[in-house]
């Protein structure tokens, strides 16, 4: 049960009590959401790393290795 949609389905049908993960718009309204922390997730990188030029990372706007 590694895919997020599988965990959500298991929560809805009662075969899973809870799960911990990133929040997105796929969480059905039938499920309750409880934040675990108010602290933001951050990326720590060397100043010469390609990620260092970004002030915010959203979705897939970060550089990928080729």
């Amino acid at each position: 049960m590694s895919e997020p949609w599988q965990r959500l389905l298991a929560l809805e049908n009662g075969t899973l009590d809870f799960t911990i993960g990133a929040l997105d718009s796929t969480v059905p309204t039938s499920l309750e959401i409880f934040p675990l922390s108010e602290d933001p997730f951050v990326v720590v990188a060397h100043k010469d790393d390609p990620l260092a030029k970004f002030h915010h990372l959203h979705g897939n706007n970060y550089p990928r290795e080729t």
Side-chain angles (χ1 to χ4, degrees):
M1 196 180 320
S2 62
E3 295 295 325
W5 66 268
Q6 291 173 314
R7 291 191 300 269
L8 293 175
L9 185 62
L11 285 166
E12 284 196 301
N13 70 26
T15 59
L16 184 64
D17 291 328
F18 70 93
T19 188
I20 296 174
L23 179 64
D24 65 19
S25 62
T26 63
V27 178
T29 58
S30 61
L31 300 174
E32 292 290 331
I33 299 166
F34 302 96
L36 295 176
S37 174
E38 296 297 323
D39 295 330
F41 284 92
V42 298
V43 173
V44 179
H46 190 276
K47 67 179 184 175
D48 295 332
D49 190 280
L51 287 174
K53 71 178 182 177
F54 290 91
H55 294 286
H56 294 88
L57 297 176
H58 300 282
N60 293 326
N61 76 341
Y62 52 89
R64 296 180 186 270
E65 289 187 26
T66 56

